[in-house]
Amino acid sequence: MTASSKPTISFEFFPPKTEKMEAALWRSIEALAPLEPSFVSVTYGAGGSTRERTHDTVARIVRETKLAPAAHLTCVSATREEVDAVIRAYAEAGVGHIVALRGDPADGVGSAYAPHPGGYAYASDLVAGIAAIGGFEISVGAYPERHPESATWDVEIDNLKRKVDAGASRAITQFFFDDDLFESFLERVRAAGVSIPVVPGIIPVHNFTAVAGFAEKTGASVPKALTERFARVGESVEERNRAAIDFGIEQVADLRARGVEHFHFYTMNRADLVTDIVQALGYHCED
Ligand code: FAD
């Protein structure tokens, strides 16, 4: 594979809760930075619980690295004025990219969502708010297996279309394990006339039980073959890491063969597995 044929990559991190986690995050950022991702995104805790930590992490990325950060932002538990203040603070900190999300219900995934009375109700409203302030690249979430609250595919795709019409220029997907589902989703999106890049979100299966539990909450299916495959993996960290890397390499290679040009990795603030997986895409830290 030549350097020019390498696909684009980007990474997601979450804001650290403790000094120890902060040190681990920065070790990962330093290890992954030489791979020159097109951007690195930082999540926003449920209910806006990490507002300051997300901002501080993103602002530090601007100050101390050459990476282009993207700040996640949600609609939950905040008025429009409060959310707009966060958006303006990002502009002041030199952040030019926001991943605009509705956020999960304040009582947790699976409970009923009620928009804040004075807030942005859904992601499309937030995208419009960010676009009205101006100056930001805007990415949004997308769901190859349909968002659990979308009753039909028409509802799902119409919602994505609304987000694009409001100003989003990229969709990043929920993670998935069955690449056929991603391809079918992409066909639906394109058939609806939506032409923005749809970037698959790739999660390294560092801990199968944890990832499968997370998948259940978010509506991502776990193929039986994958469950059986990880059931055969030994208990040692080395064996688990090897299994995660092998599956990740197979998935990105398969998606690449299907024409994917950009991969977004849910790093879980770890550099090791992602570094090994992106080697299958032609990336090497010494590049
Ligand atoms: P929306 O696009 O608003 O859609 C959510 C649901 O509401 C859909 O079923 C849609 O059809 C429906 N809907 C839309 N508009 C209306 C309307 N007007 N009336 C009725 N129904 C409507 N969560 C966090 O808390 N922090 C994060 O940092 C974070 N990062 C994420 C990153 C990615 C790439 C993804 C895919 C998800 C992320 N999430 C995050 C999770 C996300 O907040 C949840 O999946 C949430 O439930 C939906 O967010 P959304 O932006 O897709 O919502």
Side-chain angles (χ1 to χ4, degrees), residues 60-205:
R60 186 171 165 192
I61 291 172
V62 173
R63 281 197 314 272
E64 297 185 17
T65 77
K66 292 195 175 71
L67 299 167
H72 291 216
L73 184 58
T74 72
C75 309
V76 178
S77 304
T79 62
R80 282 174 183 244
E81 290 70 26
E82 286 165 339
V83 174
D84 288 353
V86 174
I87 298 165
R88 292 202 171 89
Y90 279 127
E92 278 164 28
V95 178
H97 183 178
I98 292 180
V99 183
L101 302 142
R102 185 197 73 180
D104 284 316
D107 292 333
V109 180
S111 55
Y113 174 77
H116 186 288
Y120 291 109
Y122 290 92
S124 54
D125 305 305
L126 177 57
V127 172
I130 299 166
I133 289 174
F136 288 96
E137 180 181 351
I138 307 171
S139 297
V140 290
Y143 302 85
E145 298 185 61
R146 220 157 81 195
H147 186 275
E149 292 166 51
S150 295
T152 64
W153 273 113
D154 283 349
V155 168
E156 179 72 24
I157 302 296
D158 281 354
N159 182 47
L160 180 60
K161 209 164 183 301
R162 267 199 303 279
K163 295 194 273 193
V164 175
D165 291 344
S169 59
R170 176 189 301 99
I172 303 171
T173 78
Q174 183 59 273
F175 67 81
F176 57 90
F177 300 112
D178 180 344
D179 300 344
D180 289 345
L181 295 174
F182 174 79
E183 204 173 339
S184 314
F185 174 67
L186 199 56
E187 281 165 14
R188 287 179 196 277
V189 170
R190 298 295 181 239
V194 175
S195 59
I196 60 164
V198 177
V199 179
I202 305 292
I203 192 163
V205 189

Side-chain angles (χ1 to χ4, degrees), residues 245-283:
I245 293 163
D246 288 346
F247 177 72
I249 287 175
E250 285 168 36
Q251 187 175 25
V252 296
D254 181 56
L255 288 168
R256 186 81 178 117
R258 297 173 193 236
V260 169
E261 303 278 355
H262 181 168
F263 294 89
H264 185 70
F265 290 92
Y266 295 111
T267 68
M268 315 301 282
N269 290 5
R270 290 175 55 160
D272 54 347
L273 305 180
V274 171
T275 304
D276 281 308
I277 294 169
V278 298
Q279 290 199 10
L281 296 170
Y283 281 87

Side-chain angles (χ1 to χ4, degrees), residues 5 12 40 129 158 166 169 216 223 238 269 280 285:
S5 69
E12 179 186 293
V40 295
D158 281 354
S169 59
E216 200 182 332
E238 290 73 23
N269 290 5
C285 266

